[in-house]
């Protein structure tokens, strides 16, 4: 404990999670009082971050007031039954997590924590929230799910900076018009699994809402004012009591996911067929038919209809692929409308992919025949995955440089000729890069230095593009390397430095030998050497047993290993090679 406290006095951060603590050590409340003789007292800093999660702590003492510089306090997953009034005497506190305890009431003093930005009190035994919570005017994220709260205090209208609100799994019977009208900054609202009987008319005030989850309530109508939710991308209304949908829902141009399962819908309005959805769940309703206009929804990837008394559609269509059903519905349209729905399909897919990337952080434009990427798809600068495979792209768009959070970039099967080094320098978090089957001419010898965090690299099908000495040593975290069909005549010695490599695929080349140094790739679990010109294997390869689980050798003119051994698989081959070492 002394060592941890000493480190905390230097960093201002103390993590005591998962230590089976029954109480907070008294030294924590007065960390600066115990500066050791070997410490420079003038360099000691007050505690700013305190993590006490996943312990058995029953009480937080009022001594908490002795930590006035505290900005982060996490006491989630403990056995607290209350919070001390001193919580209001922490003027710098920005993040408070007290989830998964047994707290029955929050102190009124919570409203004095005026710097609070993030507050999570989910998974407790709360029946109400104090009105003083309205004093936390800077509150941005509030989570109070899985309690027994029956109403939200009207004073929370002062929390006008709320962007995320989660009150799932409570006993709320209503969301007040005044509160909803005050929370115009909301981007996410989850009030599912409550007892709500309606949606406030003021819901249209939420022009920035992206995700609205009201499933498993008792809601019988969606107000026409829903049109004001113009940024809405995901709308969950399953397990309610909706008999109809308002025609105005068709104006939600950014909507990508609409969940209406387990309601009482008798029809799907024609106006809602204007939506460019990717997921539509209409299962377990009372639908007897579908409008042919639904066939125009060419962006749909998932349409769920089971559990409806559909009489105008064959069961094989209902339970079959979504595209087959859409095609059937298109055939029921007048011919002019059918042609129109086909020509707009690609544009619709691009629009939908762009819209979904805002919430999913993933952008997929696979197989659209693009020669260039439309500039409008880069609405979200925080995407973590981009898939541009199976197109005809020759150069990467410069906008990709701004995606600094990107972790996965799939560029397989395009027409890229030059290594996009300038763009890769702007992607420091890239973990997976797939460039399979492009037209890469020559990869620069220092190409990999810009992407040192890479874990997966696929360069397959770019014949003769590797330099004589590829700098694989610049990729210390690499776990998977695919070099299929690259006209390689020998194994690059630099591969032998990849200590974390688990999968290596060098199939369909012209390799004639394998270096004994492969024995040092001790993390290797899969090695594909099929379809080469290998005549013999080094006995040292047998030292990779038992970690090496898959060794593919078919398609080689191996003469040093009998066919009967090869036919018995990886274990038999490795044992044979290992035994040869002993014989030498």
């Amino acid at each position: 404990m002394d060592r941890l406290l000493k480190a905390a006095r230097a960093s201002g951060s103390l993590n005591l999670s998962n230590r089976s603590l029954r109480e907070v050590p008294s030294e924590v409340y007065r960390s600066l009082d115990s500066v050791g003789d070997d410490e420079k007292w003038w360099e000691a800093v007050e505690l700013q971050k305190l993590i006490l999660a996943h312990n058995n702590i029953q009480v937080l003492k009022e001594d908490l007031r002795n930590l006035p510089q505290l900005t982060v306090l996490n006491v989630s997953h403990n056995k607290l039954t209350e919070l001390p009034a001193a919580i209001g005497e922490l003027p710098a506190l920005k993040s408070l997590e007290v989830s998964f305890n047994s707290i029955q009431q929050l102190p009124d003093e919570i409203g004095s924590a005026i710097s609070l930005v993030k507050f999570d009190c989910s998974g407790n035994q709360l029946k109400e929230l104090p009105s003083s919570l309205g004093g936390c005017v800077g509150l941005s994220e509030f989570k109070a799910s899985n309690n027994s709260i029956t109403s939200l205090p009207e004073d929370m209208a002062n929390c006008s900076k709320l962007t995320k609100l989660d009150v799932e799994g409570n006993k709320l019977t209503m969301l007040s018009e005044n509160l909803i009208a005050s929370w115009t900054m909301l981007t996410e609202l989850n009030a599912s699994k409550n007892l709500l009987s309606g949606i406030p008319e003021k819901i249209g005030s939420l022009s920035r809402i992206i995700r609205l989850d009201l499933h498993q309530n008792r809601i019988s109508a969606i107000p026409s004012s829903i049109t004001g939710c113009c940024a809405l991308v995901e709308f969950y209304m399953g397990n309610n009591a909706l008999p109809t949908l308002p025609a105005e829902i068709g104006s939600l141009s950014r909507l990508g996911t609409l969940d209406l399962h387990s309601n009482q819908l008798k029809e799907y309005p024609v106006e809602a067929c204007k939506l460019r959805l990717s997921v539509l769940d209409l299962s377990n309703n009372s639908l007897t038919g579908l409008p042919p206009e639904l066939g125009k929804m060419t962006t749909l990837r998932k349409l769920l209809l089971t559990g409806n008394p559909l009489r105008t559609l064959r069961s094989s269509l209902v339970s079959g692929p979504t595209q087959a059903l859409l095609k059937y519905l298109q055939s029921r349209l007048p011919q002019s409308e059918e042609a129109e729905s086909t020509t707009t399909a690609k544009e619709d897919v691009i629009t939908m992919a762009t819209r979904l990337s805002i919430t999913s952080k993933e952008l997929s434009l696979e197989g659209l025949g693009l020669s260039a990427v439309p500039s409008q798809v880069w609405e979200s600068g925080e995407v973590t995955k981009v898939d541009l495979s199976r197109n005809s792209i020759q150069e990467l768009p410069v906008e990709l440089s701004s995606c600094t959070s990107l972790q996965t970039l799939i560029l397989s099967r395009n027409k890229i000729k030059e290594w996009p080094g300038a763009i890769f320098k702007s992607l420091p978090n890239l973990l997976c890069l797939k460039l399979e089957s492009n037209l890469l001419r020559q990869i620069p010898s220092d190409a990999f230095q810009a992407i040192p965090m890479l874990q997966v690299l696929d360069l397959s099908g770019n014949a003769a593009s590797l330099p004589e000495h590829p700098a694989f040593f610049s990729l210390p975290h690499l776990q998977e390397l695919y070099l299929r069909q690259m006209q390689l005549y020998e194994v690059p010695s630099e591969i032998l430095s990849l200590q974390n490599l688990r999968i290596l695929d060098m199939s369909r080349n012209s390799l004639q030998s394998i270096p004994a140094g492969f024995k040092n790739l001790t993390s290797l679990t899969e090695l594909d050497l099929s379809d080469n010109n290998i005549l013999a294997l080094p006995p040292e390869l047998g030292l990779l047993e038992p970690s090496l689980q898959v060794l593919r050798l078919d398609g080689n003119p191996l003469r040093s290993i009998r066919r009967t051994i090869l036919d018995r698989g990886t274990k038999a081959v490795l044992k044979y090679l290992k035994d040869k070492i002993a014989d030498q």
Side-chain angles (χ1 to χ4, degrees):
M1 183 60 67
D2 289 343
R3 181 179 57 81
L4 289 172
L5 288 170
K6 183 177 179 181
R9 284 191 287 272
S11 67
S13 178
L14 179 59
N15 189 340
L16 296 176
S17 59
N18 285 299
R19 291 180 177 269
S20 302
L21 297 177
R22 295 193 174 187
E23 60 181 17
V24 181
S26 57
E27 302 95 323
V28 172
Y29 296 116
R30 44 184 178 81
S31 64
L32 289 188
D33 294 348
S34 49
V35 176
D37 296 335
D38 60 336
E39 296 178 72
K40 297 175 182 178
W41 58 266
W42 59 88
E43 291 184 356
V45 295
E46 291 202 45
L47 207 56
Q48 297 164 24
K49 185 176 181 180
L50 178 57
I51 311 296
L52 298 164
H54 295 277
N55 283 293
N56 298 309
I57 298 169
Q58 297 182 18
V59 176
L60 270 185
K61 294 182 180 179
E62 296 292 344
D63 292 348
L64 200 62
R65 62 170 60 91
N66 296 332
L67 304 173
Q69 299 300 315
L70 208 60
T71 60
V72 175
L73 175 59
N74 186 341
V75 283
S76 60
H77 296 272
N78 276 284
K79 296 183 178 179
L80 298 176
T81 55
E82 61 181 5
L83 293 178
I87 206 81
E89 299 179 44
L90 302 176
L93 192 65
K94 292 184 177 180
S95 175
L96 176 60
E97 294 199 32
V98 297
S99 58
F100 299 99
N101 280 280
S102 300
I103 300 170
Q104 298 179 11
Q105 191 171 8
L106 296 175
D108 287 335
E109 289 79 3
I110 191 75
S112 299
I114 54 174
S115 297
L116 206 58
V117 174
K118 182 179 179 182
F119 182 24
D120 186 351
C121 57
S122 56
N124 280 284
Q125 298 172 16
L126 301 172
K127 293 183 179 178
E128 61 180 3
L129 298 172
S131 297
S132 62
L133 202 57
C136 302
V137 293
L139 195 61
S140 174
E141 297 183 24
F142 179 50
K143 189 172 182 180
S145 59
N146 299 310
N147 281 284
S148 299
I149 300 166
T150 55
S151 65
L152 300 177
E154 286 296 315
D155 286 12
M156 283 191 71
N158 297 325
C159 303
S160 57
K161 294 182 180 178
L162 264 183
T163 60
K164 296 181 181 179
L165 175 64
D166 185 351
V167 287
E168 175 187 0
N170 280 284
K171 296 181 179 179
L172 298 174
T173 55
M174 63 170 288
L175 296 173
S176 87
E177 299 281 355
N178 182 43
L179 288 177
I180 291 296
S182 302
W183 293 336
T184 55
M185 302 288 285
L186 272 183
T187 59
E188 295 184 21
L189 171 57
N190 184 355
S192 60
K193 299 180 183 179
N194 276 281
L195 305 173
L196 301 176
S197 57
I199 300 175
E201 284 288 337
K202 295 286 187 180
I203 196 73
S205 305
L206 306 184
S207 59
R208 303 186 186 198
I209 194 88
I210 293 173
R211 189 177 192 275
L212 180 56
D213 190 347
L214 299 173
H215 83 270
Q216 204 168 321
N217 277 284
R218 301 173 179 179
I219 298 168
S220 56
I222 297 175
S224 57
S225 58
I226 193 71
T227 55
C229 300
C230 52
L232 195 61
V233 174
E234 300 176 20
F235 191 15
Y236 300 92
M237 284 295 298
N239 268 305
N240 275 287
L242 299 173
T244 59
L245 293 177
E248 290 81 359
I249 202 169
S251 66
L252 298 175
S253 61
R254 300 175 75 91
L255 198 62
T257 297
L258 179 57
D259 184 353
L260 297 164
H261 81 274
S262 305
N263 277 280
Q264 299 165 16
L265 297 174
K266 292 184 172 64
E267 64 178 7
Y268 186 78
V270 171
E271 294 83 358
C273 296
K274 299 175 186 175
L275 295 170
R276 295 179 173 182
L277 301 174
S278 61
V279 177
L280 175 59
D281 191 346
L282 293 169
S283 58
N284 297 314
N285 276 280
S286 301
L287 300 171
T288 56
L290 293 174
E293 289 80 1
L294 201 91
K296 292 183 181 181
M297 299 178 72
T298 52
T299 55
L300 265 180
R301 294 292 172 266
K302 194 173 184 182
L303 174 59
L304 302 174
L305 292 167
T306 55
N308 282 287
L310 291 163
R311 297 173 189 138
T312 56
L313 294 170
R314 298 191 306 273
S315 60
S316 59
L317 275 173
V318 173
S319 58
T322 296
Q323 297 307 312
L325 177 56
L326 293 179
K327 193 171 182 180
Y328 169 78
L329 291 170
Q330 283 175 20
S331 71
R332 311 290 290 176
L333 288 166
Q335 284 190 345
S336 59
E337 291 189 45
E338 184 180 354
E340 178 191 344
S341 69
T342 303
T343 56
T344 59
K346 183 189 290 188
E347 288 78 6
D348 285 348
V349 170
I350 292 172
T351 302
M352 178 55 57
T354 304
R355 193 179 305 148
L356 289 176
S357 72
I358 297 172
T359 51
S360 70
K361 309 300 182 190
E362 297 185 2
L363 175 65
S364 178
L365 298 175
E366 175 191 3
L368 295 179
L370 301 174
S371 56
V373 182
S375 57
Q376 70 265 25
V377 306
W378 306 107
E379 282 193 28
S380 173
E382 298 181 0
V383 288
T384 59
K385 180 179 179 179
V386 171
D387 186 350
L388 300 174
S389 60
R390 297 196 301 117
N391 284 289
S392 299
I393 297 167
Q394 296 184 33
E395 292 185 3
L396 293 188
V398 292
E399 292 91 346
L400 200 56
S401 299
S402 62
C403 301
T404 53
S405 300
L406 196 64
Q407 296 179 357
T408 300
L409 179 57
I410 304 175
L411 302 167
S412 308
R413 301 188 185 184
N414 277 283
K415 297 181 178 179
I416 299 169
K417 295 179 180 178
E418 303 297 331
W419 181 262
I423 287 176
F424 288 161
K425 286 179 181 177
S426 304
L427 306 177
N429 298 305
L430 200 62
L431 301 178
C432 175
L433 175 61
K434 296 188 177 183
L435 277 159
E436 173 198 1
S437 300
N438 274 276
L439 304 173
L440 286 174
R441 294 170 179 154
Q442 181 73 35
I443 299 173
S445 57
D446 61 350
F448 307 134
Q449 292 179 11
I451 40 179
M453 302 306 293
L454 217 57
Q455 296 178 8
V456 178
L457 176 61
D458 191 345
L459 298 171
S460 303
N462 291 285
S465 61
L466 271 186
E468 186 177 352
H469 297 289
F472 288 124
F473 52 80
S474 300
L475 304 173
H477 306 288
L478 200 64
Q479 297 180 20
E480 300 180 22
L481 178 59
Y482 301 90
L483 301 172
R484 292 184 304 275
Q485 205 171 355
M486 293 190 66
Q487 293 184 9
L488 295 174
Y489 292 92
E490 60 182 32
V491 177
S493 59
E494 290 77 8
I495 287 178
L496 304 180
S497 67
L498 300 174
Q499 293 299 307
N500 292 308
L501 200 62
R502 293 188 298 106
I503 298 175
L504 176 59
D505 185 349
M506 301 190 72
S507 60
R508 301 174 70 185
N509 282 288
S510 301
L511 302 176
Q512 296 182 6
S513 63
I514 300 300
F518 262 42
K519 67 180 181 182
N520 298 320
L521 298 178
T522 53
S523 298
L524 210 59
T525 61
E526 192 172 322
L527 176 59
D528 192 342
L529 298 172
S530 58
D531 298 310
N532 277 280
N533 296 323
I534 301 169
L535 297 172
L537 294 175
E540 290 83 358
L541 203 61
L543 297 173
L544 293 179
E545 194 266 334
S547 59
L548 188 62
Q549 300 293 311
V550 178
L551 174 61
R552 296 190 177 94
L553 296 167
D554 45 299
N556 282 286
L558 283 166
R559 296 171 187 163
S560 60
I561 305 177
R562 295 192 305 275
R563 173 54 55 186
T564 52
I565 295 174
L566 291 171
D567 289 345
R568 282 161 50 200
T570 300
K571 285 189 176 181
V573 172
L574 293 178
K575 184 179 184 304
Y576 170 80
L577 292 171
K578 200 171 184 180
D579 289 345
K580 282 191 71 175
I581 296 176
D583 294 341
Q584 288 178 355

